[in-house]
Amino acid sequence: NRHSRRSALAPTGDNFASPKYEAERKIVPSTDSSKDINASEARSALGTRNSVLGTSVHFVIFPPHPMPSKIYPRTMLALLTAINFFNYIDRSVLFAVQPLVQAEFRRSDAEFGFLTTAFFVCYMVAAPIIAFFADRYPRKLIVVTGIVLWSAATLLTAVTHDFSTLFIRHALLGIGEASYAAIAPALIADLFPEQRRGRMLAIFYIAIPTGTAMGYLLGGYLGHLYGWRTPFYVAAVPGFILAAGLMFLGEPRRGANDHLRATPERATL
């Protein structure tokens, strides 16, 4: 019977043949046209099953956005720009209160300079690794994880009482911000067609100078009035809120707005 035939054809030691093994077993070159048709149907059924399962998991974690097509990209751009704004506030607020921190920890200028070196080394090492995974896995999950990581690192600074913890804070900040800088521009590119993409990225990147300036203003003002720890409490909270907001927006489809013909110059490094 059919069960006995499956058992005989299954790999040694198996008591049954899996659906995948059944499909692979049927895909065997044959001179019989009917068998070739069965093999094609088995291959198609196996691929459809895997794609449907993958789509189900993707939609459970990242539901498709319910917004109208015109509102969704603008909302996503506004949210990503706001996150980038607080990204640079979190990066620069320490520089505004560094004299106060340095006086408490009693460390030299060279040692505090080494903190910035640690940040950029972690940033440079993490960015290509994160980009590698972003090409293969859902990007929004990686971005949200990075936002939470650097916001937590900023909050950690407010309760830091030794120089070693401050060093760890800079390392985590570099890794978290690298995950955002490597992926957010690609998300924006998938939201807008080529003729509008440059203008939208300009809006996104205007958050760099404004966020940096606001970090100095926030740190200098609050640090002088309430102590150097207070600015970090204030700067950390918006990151968590914006990360939660980003989870409610669907991830744009890769290449959804790429309309120009692919050329060797555009499609390769």
Side-chain angles (χ1 to χ4, degrees):
N1 57 29
R2 186 174 60 181
H3 177 72
S4 301
R5 187 178 61 201
R6 285 185 180 178
S7 301
L9 292 172
T12 304
D14 289 350
N15 294 324
F16 63 94
S18 66
K20 181 178 180 181
Y21 176 77
E22 277 291 299
E24 292 173 350
R25 184 176 61 79
K26 291 180 180 180
I27 304 173
V28 179
S30 173
T31 56
D32 189 343
S33 60
S34 63
K35 292 182 178 180
D36 291 341
I37 293 173
N38 291 336
S40 300
E41 291 176 352
R43 185 187 298 110
S44 176
L46 181 62
T48 303
R49 177 178 175 272
N50 291 338
S51 63
V52 169
L53 287 176
T55 304
S56 306
V57 173
H58 179 79
F59 283 163
V60 167
I61 301 176
F62 306 106
H65 59 83
M67 294 185 179
S69 58
K70 291 185 178 180
I71 298 177
Y72 167 69
R74 297 173 184 175
T75 303
M76 180 69 88
L77 175 63
L79 187 58
L80 292 174
T81 303
I83 293 170
N84 203 33
F85 178 74
F86 285 101
N87 174 9
Y88 280 85
I89 288 180
D90 292 352
R91 182 186 299 192
S92 60
V93 68
L94 178 63
F95 302 135
V97 297
Q98 183 167 314
L100 301 175
V101 180
Q102 199 168 353
E104 179 176 325
F105 288 168
R106 300 183 183 277
R107 298 286 182 145
S108 65
D109 292 338
E111 289 174 303
F112 268 85
F114 184 66
L115 295 177
T116 303
T117 302
F119 167 82
F120 281 111
V121 168
C122 291
Y123 190 101
M124 291 186 296
V125 172
I129 298 174
I130 291 170
F132 174 84
F133 286 104
D135 283 339
R136 292 157 177 81
Y137 299 99
R139 296 169 293 178
K140 193 176 71 172
L141 180 61
I142 300 175
V143 167
V144 170
T145 302
I147 297 170
V148 172
L149 181 62
W150 93 57
S151 299
T154 303
L155 189 62
L156 175 66
T157 313
V159 295
T160 296
H161 295 280
D162 60 86
F163 191 78
S164 299
T165 308
L166 200 60
F167 177 85
I168 296 173
R169 177 261 186 191
H170 273 67
L172 295 177
L173 193 70
I175 296 172
E177 293 191 6
S179 67
Y180 188 73
I183 300 175
L187 294 175
I188 294 175
D190 289 336
L191 291 168
F192 300 96
E194 290 91 343
Q195 62 269 23
R196 300 179 59 196
R197 198 169 290 169
R199 185 165 68 253
M200 300 305 141
L201 286 171
I203 295 173
F204 173 76
Y205 283 120
I206 201 172
I208 295 178
T210 54
T212 302
M214 182 57 67
Y216 278 93
L217 291 173
L218 181 70
Y221 180 77
L222 295 179
H224 176 71
L225 292 179
Y226 306 105
W228 68 265
R229 299 179 188 276
T230 303
F232 294 99
Y233 286 116
V234 176
V237 173
F240 294 108
I241 297 174
L242 293 172
L246 187 60
M247 287 299 297
F248 287 97
L249 294 178
E251 178 178 331
R253 183 170 57 84
R254 298 174 192 266
N257 284 284
D258 291 344
H259 304 299
L260 297 179
R261 184 174 59 88
T263 62
E265 293 78 15
R266 295 182 66 246
T268 62
L269 182 60

